[in-house]
Amino acid sequence: MADSKRETFFANIWKNNPVIVQILGICSALAVTNNLTNTLIMGIGLIFTTGFSSLTIAALRKYIPKNVRMMIQVLIIATYVIILDIVLKAYLPGISKALGPYVGLIITNCIIMGRAEAYAQSHGPVLSFIDGVSAGIGYSLILLAVAFVRELLGFGSLFGLRVLPEGFTPWVIMITAPSAFFIIGAIIWIARTPFVKKK
Amino acid sequence: MKDKLYSVVFTFLLSTFFVLVLAAINALASSRIEINEKLDFQRSVLYVFGFVEIEDNLSSEEIQSLYAEKITELTGEITVYVATVKGEKNYAFTVQSPGLWGTITGLVAVSSDASRIVGIDFVSHSETPGLGGRIDEKSFKEQFRDERISQDRNLRIAVVSGIDTSSNDDSRVDAITGATRTSEAVGKLINKAINEIFPTVLKVVN
């Protein structure tokens, strides 16, 4: 595992991307990608949560008893998600309303636990924070790519702004979850073809 | 044994610490959240009567003054919001009804004889974002404006697909693609509003 800050950061964006390489966080990838705005908000929420929960877990890693570490991790993750929820409700009510049930979905995102287990357990707080943030960014980038296709073809718009002409017939399948399977599948296939061969 | 005790004590202390942190943040933010929620609700009330549009960007002062000017609150068994639109008295009230995942709380405004829906808004719901969650979108909610309420107790407003819904007199609105169950739930919410809550509204008003 790469240990320099730079390498840690870029590893999660491409070579070790949580969605296309580790195939984590797929449930939320299916649920939130039918429009770009929601996807972006979800991505930012996840970047915040993974970053800070990895930081906290790494800072406490020497004191956390091994047999209860998963409970502790969930506790820390849940705390940050609730903080995020409260802060959004109080200071950004508009976004909070748009986000709605997604905030709860962040807790169940396997990427956060995955990073906590695979990285924060055995690395220092600063590196873990970078690792968490970049895992969030890697996830968000793939999701934005999926959402771009889905919103464009499903609604004819991008970020809610109409870009395709009025007469365009929306592809109903793009609005429903199966399309995300196809698009993510296609992205994984394209991304992995040269990458797997290199190995 | 010592290890186990350490695990228990550590977990206990850490949980206590995080709970305290959350409680503190919550206490600091709760008054702001309450204000936001109240404003949001007042905005909803103004919207269902047609005084504001969804895309209108109003400051909190504007919402409050408009609300004070246009809306009369009557409290009895339930709270009824009364406003005069085009010389006619209209009543708005909240309705709670089960959705697909959780309770949908709707704010429904009807004419005084319950012959037409004046407007509808969803105060809170937990429908799937992007699917059932699209009941929040303007294109869905605007369909209910001035829609005639049918005499059929079981189908006050039909939420349908594949049928022409363009007329305001057909008591029909378009369902949301990919959200059949949520669309049905909205139909049920309106049935409940007219059949069960509207009689109470009349009691409060008179």
Side-chain angles (χ1 to χ4, degrees):
Chain A
M1 178 78 60
D3 269 328
S4 89
K5 288 175 191 167
R6 229 183 103 93
E7 273 176 59
T8 306
F9 186 82
F10 286 106
N12 278 324
I13 304 232
W14 184 243
K15 226 168 73 190
N16 200 18
N17 185 292
V19 182
I20 59 176
V21 180
Q22 301 172 24
I23 323 282
L24 287 178
I26 299 297
C27 345
S28 57
L30 300 181
V32 305
T33 50
N34 54 7
N35 77 60
L36 278 164
T37 318
N38 288 346
T39 313
L40 188 69
I41 297 169
M42 179 71 174
I44 294 169
L46 191 91
I47 292 169
F48 168 85
T49 321
T50 344
F52 283 95
S53 61
S54 280
L55 174 79
T56 316
I57 290 163
L60 292 171
R61 72 187 188 283
K62 297 216 170 86
Y63 310 100
I64 298 175
K66 285 283 169 276
N67 49 351
V68 292
R69 66 175 197 286
M70 289 215 165
M71 271 165 62
I72 305 279
Q73 286 164 2
V74 173
L75 176 76
I76 292 170
I77 295 165
T79 305
Y80 280 111
V81 173
I82 297 169
I83 291 176
L84 183 74
D85 188 33
I86 294 175
V87 170
L88 285 179
K89 265 192 193 146
Y91 296 98
L92 298 164
I95 292 186
S96 167
K97 221 176 167 192
L99 204 66
Y102 291 120
V103 184
L105 273 178
I106 296 175
I107 304 182
T108 64
N109 197 312
C110 355
I111 295 172
I112 310 177
M113 275 291 271
R115 287 338 284 167
E117 271 289 294
Y119 199 91
Q121 276 296 326
S122 51
H123 292 77
V126 179
L127 276 174
S128 297
F129 181 72
I130 294 172
D131 176 73
V133 168
S134 63
I137 295 174
Y139 165 84
S140 310
L141 289 178
I142 301 297
L143 257 65
L144 285 171
V146 177
F148 178 83
V149 179
R150 287 184 73 183
E151 192 180 347
L152 188 68
L153 298 177
F155 296 103
S157 60
L158 291 174
F159 285 108
L161 299 169
R162 175 157 287 280
V163 287
L164 293 178
E166 268 319 312
F168 171 74
T169 312
W171 299 17
V172 174
I173 190 169
M174 284 298 169
I175 303 170
T176 55
S179 68
F181 270 118
F182 300 137
I183 299 167
I184 289 185
I187 291 177
I188 293 172
W189 173 42
I190 295 165
R192 278 197 173 190
T193 311
F195 178 61
V196 171
K197 269 183 194 156
K198 233 184 276 169
K199 275 186 185 168
Chain B
M1 190 59 212
K2 221 179 160 191
D3 281 356
K4 276 187 189 156
L5 194 67
Y6 175 71
S7 304
V8 172
V9 171
F10 182 87
T11 313
F12 181 76
L13 288 178
L14 201 70
S15 310
T16 316
F17 172 73
F18 279 119
V19 168
L20 287 176
V21 169
L22 283 182
I25 293 178
N26 189 37
L28 285 175
S30 62
S31 60
R32 270 197 81 110
I33 294 176
E34 227 166 83
I35 293 170
N36 288 339
E37 277 170 1
K38 198 171 163 208
L39 268 178
D40 228 34
F41 187 77
Q42 293 190 337
R43 211 196 138 97
S44 278
V45 174
L46 289 169
Y47 166 74
V48 292
F49 286 120
F51 294 126
V52 296
E53 289 301 319
I54 291 177
E55 57 274 1
D56 285 350
N57 213 345
L58 297 176
S59 71
S60 44
E61 290 81 22
E62 282 171 311
I63 293 176
Q64 277 164 336
S65 68
L66 197 62
Y67 187 85
E69 181 196 336
K70 302 277 191 190
I71 314 285
T72 325
E73 286 180 21
L74 295 175
T75 347
E77 230 172 292
I78 53 169
T79 307
V80 180
Y81 306 87
V82 185
T84 311
V85 185
K86 292 175 204 144
E88 211 194 316
K89 268 218 161 92
N90 291 330
Y91 308 133
F93 48 94
T94 54
V95 194
Q96 295 197 316
S97 174
L100 176 57
W101 299 120
T103 306
I104 301 178
T105 306
L107 185 67
V108 181
V110 296
S111 57
S112 54
D113 55 355
S115 64
R116 278 181 194 274
I117 300 259
V118 176
I120 186 167
D121 198 8
F122 301 98
V123 181
S124 73
H125 67 81
S126 36
E127 300 311 293
T128 320
L131 294 173
R134 295 184 62 212
I135 54 174
D136 271 336
E137 284 180 12
K138 187 185 173 187
S139 53
F140 183 72
K141 291 190 289 198
E142 282 298 315
Q143 299 186 89
F144 290 89
R145 280 251 182 266
D146 296 321
E147 190 74 33
R148 177 178 292 284
I149 298 170
S150 153
Q151 295 301 315
D152 181 359
R153 276 185 68 86
N154 298 319
L155 209 65
R156 293 297 189 175
I157 299 273
V159 186
V160 296
S161 51
I163 306 175
D164 177 34
T165 60
S166 52
S167 159
N168 267 347
D169 293 321
D170 57 12
S171 308
R172 281 200 291 249
V173 297
D174 254 326
I176 294 169
T177 310
T180 312
R181 299 275 301 278
T182 302
S183 304
E184 283 168 4
V186 171
K188 287 197 186 116
L189 181 127
I190 291 168
N191 282 347
K192 186 178 173 190
I194 309 301
N195 299 340
E196 293 174 32
I197 314 226
F198 190 71
T200 323
V201 169
L202 289 180
K203 254 190 255 164
V204 172
V205 173
N206 298 320

